[in-house]
Amino acid sequence: MTPMCLAIPGKVIKWIERESPFATATVEFGGVRRRVSMDCVPEADEGEYVIVHAGIAISRIDRSEAMRVLETLEELELAELRESVDDLPIDRPGTVRGTP
Amino acid sequence: MKYLDEYRDPAGCRRLAKEIRTTATRSWTIMEVCGGQTHGLLRHGIDRELDGVVRLIHGPGCPVCVTPLESIDFALDLARRQDVLLTSFGDMLRVPGSRQRLLEGRGETGNVGIVYSPLDAIRLAEEQPDRQIVFFAVGFETTAPATALAVRRAAELGLDNFSLLVAHVCVLPAMETLAANPNSSVQGFLAAGHVCTVTGHACYEEFVSRFRLPVVVTGFEPIDLLAGILQCVEQLERGEASVANCYGRSVRTDGNTHAVELMGEVYEVCDRPWRGFGVVPGGGLKLRPKYASFDATERFDFNSLPIVEPKECRSGEVLSGQIKPTDCECFGTRCTPESPMGAPMVSTEGACSAYYQYGAAESTALTEGAKS
């Protein structure tokens, strides 16, 4: 069953037809190839990723934007690491742990 | 799969969930608009993970669920005609009409065919010139470009045996109806990522300034959902309300202009009754007069019988976020996916079916790899 607003990313393998309203390309989804309508993404290049819903590509994936949320995650991971380093019990000579 | 798996990383999910819990100084009520998001949130256990910090209210974003019974009865009527093959997405064909369903279990009530794309219905019309192929066009702005393209192709090919039963709905007017309700407890919205892929998010600026509620464009994978919730909580904590885009890999400010042009060429905005809402001003799309010859309601007669809404079904309250599916007395007893009373129990995007499917599930994106 196809959820109504489900759209999945696929890689444009080969343009078949450029003419509107019949623009078509072969697009690959995890190894499975399908013919997809390309009328809404006429600028898409072969090798590029598009998002496909109900047989038509509705957007081209922006690669730098795709990294953004993952970069935020990396920042969170670094912050977590720093915290855990701060929490490490470090014995320094001449100091008593727990004092300011 | 590239651009999917990296947004399902359990460690990343846990980090974002922790950040949300750290950021929130109180409990916030957020509505996810799209049914696809509802399913993602429940499937990955995000609602339970954020329990006490974020209350998630499920929005009306299940097009199958809000399709008026009258349209479904019309579809049933068409499917009984010998000269017609009625096609649509599988979900739509399983929703009960007033008196019966198009697909009863594995059997079919009439001449119906499930298609993956409206363009498949065009192919059927080419292959079967002696048969009338009708596509039941349901869906939000995500789907409308595909059905508009089908009409453009049918016109170009001169197909006189193809038509659409149009029940498209527009999401922003429904959000306005919800936000304007004085009883609404929603403090922020996660806007539907694939609707915004088509429409863009500039159209939400006016909404945000009118209602002073944050709108965060959000995707569907667990990392996307958590990032959207975090952005919304951060705005709420700062006392801000703005439009933010957390699904930038697919959504541009002005959306997909080719898709918007295609929709505008074939459809015009109209008022439309939404199941559970009543008439939503500007809440639907209909064919423009120049494409009226592809309108199934023009091509076929329909004697509408009085609409019979099942009395016990509380899907209207579920769709408008007033109750959770589990608050309904019929949930899981007299109403199940195998024997549904209302559309939200049928559709893969319906909130009731999500609760039924994932209610007892223990595995979550936050405890293990969430490969679907």
Side-chain angles (χ1 to χ4, degrees):
Chain A
M1 256 192 279
T2 312
M4 200 59 70
C5 273
L6 180 83
I8 53 169
K11 187 179 184 179
V12 180
I13 302 296
K14 195 171 172 38
W15 274 92
I16 297 169
E17 169 68 63
R18 291 269 184 181
E19 201 67 35
S20 169
F22 298 98
T24 306
T26 304
V27 176
E28 189 176 270
F29 306 92
V32 180
R33 292 185 177 195
R34 290 192 75 134
R35 286 165 75 101
V36 164
S37 158
M38 301 289 279
D39 287 281
C40 294
V41 290
E43 311 89 349
D45 293 321
E46 291 174 358
E48 197 178 334
Y49 279 78
V50 290
I51 290 188
V52 178
H53 167 75
I56 86 166
I58 53 171
S59 77
R60 300 160 65 196
I61 289 188
D62 183 315
R63 285 165 64 188
S64 61
E65 282 289 334
M67 289 305 297
R68 211 161 56 136
V69 64
L70 302 176
E71 283 161 8
T72 310
L73 277 174
E74 273 169 28
E75 281 163 28
L76 287 178
E77 189 180 356
L78 282 175
E80 221 169 68
L81 279 174
R82 272 196 297 273
E83 260 172 43
S84 58
V85 168
D86 289 346
D87 289 346
L88 283 179
I90 300 168
D91 288 319
R92 292 189 190 90
T95 60
V96 181
R97 247 168 54 208
T99 54
Chain B
M1 271 169 77
K2 194 167 163 62
Y3 295 118
L4 277 185
D5 294 342
E6 53 270 55
Y7 302 96
R8 294 175 177 175
D9 169 48
C13 287
R14 281 192 291 273
R15 256 177 220 118
L16 281 168
K18 186 179 162 203
E19 189 66 15
I20 292 168
R21 281 193 301 268
T22 315
T23 306
T25 58
R26 46 158 290 184
S27 171
W28 297 103
T29 301
I30 297 172
M31 175 177 274
E32 85 281 1
V33 170
C34 175
Q37 293 169 329
T38 306
H39 272 252
L41 290 166
L42 271 86
R43 182 167 78 198
H44 300 295
I46 293 171
D47 59 325
R48 280 168 287 166
E49 181 64 27
L50 298 180
D51 193 31
V53 181
V54 174
R55 190 163 76 99
L56 291 159
I57 295 193
H58 315 308
C62 165
V64 164
C65 303
V66 300
T67 299
L69 261 183
E70 191 173 17
S71 297
I72 300 170
D73 285 348
F74 192 167
L76 275 158
D77 210 48
L78 286 173
R80 274 190 287 266
R81 293 175 57 121
Q82 283 308 305
D83 56 337
V84 167
L85 176 64
L86 180 87
T87 60
S88 194
F89 304 116
D91 277 9
M92 193 64 243
L93 299 177
R94 289 186 181 86
V95 175
S98 286
R99 286 157 191 87
Q100 58 184 158
R101 277 191 279 168
L102 287 156
L103 290 182
E104 293 280 0
R106 295 174 74 99
E108 295 167 7
T109 302
N111 304 313
V112 297
I114 296 175
V115 291
Y116 161 71
S117 164
L119 303 174
D120 296 339
I122 292 289
R123 190 176 41 78
L124 288 169
E126 284 186 288
E127 287 167 2
Q128 305 182 41
D130 297 330
R131 209 169 185 195
Q132 286 289 329
I133 309 295
V134 182
F135 183 77
F136 193 177
V138 290
F140 287 115
E141 291 93 332
T142 316
T143 316
T147 62
L149 184 64
V151 171
R152 287 270 286 107
R153 286 192 180 181
E156 201 77 20
L157 295 165
L159 291 176
D160 56 9
N161 64 330
F162 175 80
S163 58
L164 287 187
L165 176 57
V166 182
H168 280 306
V169 279
C170 305
V171 80
L172 183 52
M175 284 171 67
E176 287 170 344
T177 303
L178 283 166
N181 183 338
N183 298 322
S184 167
S185 58
V186 176
Q187 293 166 303
F189 285 93
L190 306 184
H194 289 142
V195 167
C196 295
T197 294
V198 171
T199 64
H201 56 77
C203 50
Y204 290 93
E205 295 291 347
E206 200 266 337
F207 175 90
V208 165
S209 56
R210 179 147 51 116
F211 294 105
R212 299 289 307 152
L213 298 169
V215 171
V216 182
V217 179
T218 303
F220 299 83
E221 299 306 321
I223 296 265
D224 294 318
L225 289 162
L226 287 159
I229 293 169
L230 175 59
Q231 162 65 225
C232 198
V233 167
E234 284 172 346
Q235 284 198 38
L236 289 164
E237 286 288 339
R238 290 196 301 263
E240 291 174 11
S242 66
V243 181
N245 183 4
C246 283
Y247 195 38
R249 67 182 182 277
S250 180
V251 178
R252 323 279 177 263
T253 307
D254 295 314
N256 181 327
T257 50
H258 301 289
V260 170
E261 273 169 31
L262 185 59
M263 268 197 308
E265 155 75 13
V266 174
Y267 294 119
E268 59 190 24
V269 171
C270 64
D271 299 341
R272 162 124 330 124
W274 283 46
R275 227 170 149 181
F277 276 69
V279 173
V280 176
L285 297 174
K286 64 173 185 179
L287 286 163
R288 287 192 182 276
K290 69 184 278 202
Y291 291 105
S293 61
F294 294 101
D295 187 345
T297 63
E298 299 276 335
R299 191 172 295 189
F300 303 99
D301 290 328
F302 172 52
N303 298 317
S304 103
L305 293 162
I307 301 295
V308 192
E309 284 278 2
K311 282 196 187 69
E312 282 181 295
C313 177
R314 299 177 69 187
S315 55
E317 291 162 271
V318 171
L319 286 167
S320 52
Q322 293 173 58
I323 63 165
K324 296 246 181 198
T326 43
D327 296 333
C328 174
E329 297 73 22
C330 304
F331 177 85
T333 55
R334 291 190 294 288
C335 182
T336 63
E338 290 72 39
S339 177
M341 282 188 173
M345 186 57 99
V346 181
S347 171
T348 42
E349 296 202 331
C352 298
S353 90
Y355 272 74
Y356 190 87
Q357 215 174 327
Y358 308 117
E362 288 302 324
S363 68
T364 75
L366 300 139
T367 54
E368 58 176 78
K371 302 275 161 62
S372 62

